[in-house]
Amino acid sequence: MPIDDRVRAYVETPEVLARFAPDIKWVPPVTPPNSYADAVKELEMLKSDCEGTLISSISRGQLEEAGKELLRINPRAIVAGKVVVETLADHTLVSREKELKKAKVDLSMKALRAEAAYTALVNEMGGCDILIGQGLRGDLGVTTAAQILILETLKEVNGHFDDFFRAIPDAYKNKLVA
């Protein structure tokens, strides 16, 4: 779960979390990338992990290993994607203000498209996580059937990564700041 300011007060330290939710194990929050460019690079690495390690684990029938790998990838992708989307949105707001002063850059449509692609990516990764859990419990039948379903979902995840990368402007990677 992404940690925002409303939730942070309840989960900041293991002691605080134990007071509010004693049965939940504390995990340190994911640190966001420092810049738009760093977030894009991290997302590229995470996509590579999905195409390599994750698919390899599932193909070998090692669903537990794949589940752990997805639990490493998913929060990082959520946080890095959020940095990209929020940076584009912030830049769009600045561009709108400058528009009155004849600014030539308006990323509002790119920001909307990136946000839609990001949402689709996060949803598909969540669906893949659920499928891996169902495969581990045997809810999907034999392992081979689970592997086929999960690999199809991972194909969709990688497609959503591609959609997200197409939606974000490359020309601004080094110019936008988080």
Side-chain angles (χ1 to χ4, degrees), residues 61-153:
Q62 297 174 334
L63 300 183
E64 187 173 331
E65 180 182 316
K68 289 177 184 176
E69 182 67 9
L70 187 60
L71 288 175
R72 182 192 66 80
I73 293 170
N74 201 356
R76 294 294 326 149
I78 289 171
V79 169
K82 187 175 179 181
V83 167
V84 170
V85 168
E86 287 179 354
T87 302
L88 285 173
D90 290 347
H91 187 74
T92 298
L93 293 173
V94 170
S95 294
R96 290 245 181 253
E97 291 170 8
K98 289 182 179 180
E99 195 173 295
L100 300 171
K101 299 175 185 174
K102 307 286 186 220
K104 296 181 181 178
V105 178
D106 182 10
L107 298 177
S108 58
M109 291 307 294
K110 286 276 189 186
L112 286 172
R113 185 168 174 227
E115 185 174 9
Y118 167 73
T119 301
L121 172 63
V122 170
N123 289 340
E124 199 69 43
M125 288 178 77
C128 188
D129 183 30
I130 290 169
L131 278 177
I132 290 173
Q134 289 173 333
L136 285 168
R137 287 191 310 271
D139 294 348
L140 301 177
V142 295
T143 303
T144 306
Q147 287 173 284
I148 292 169
L149 286 170
I150 296 166
L151 287 170
E152 280 298 315
T153 304

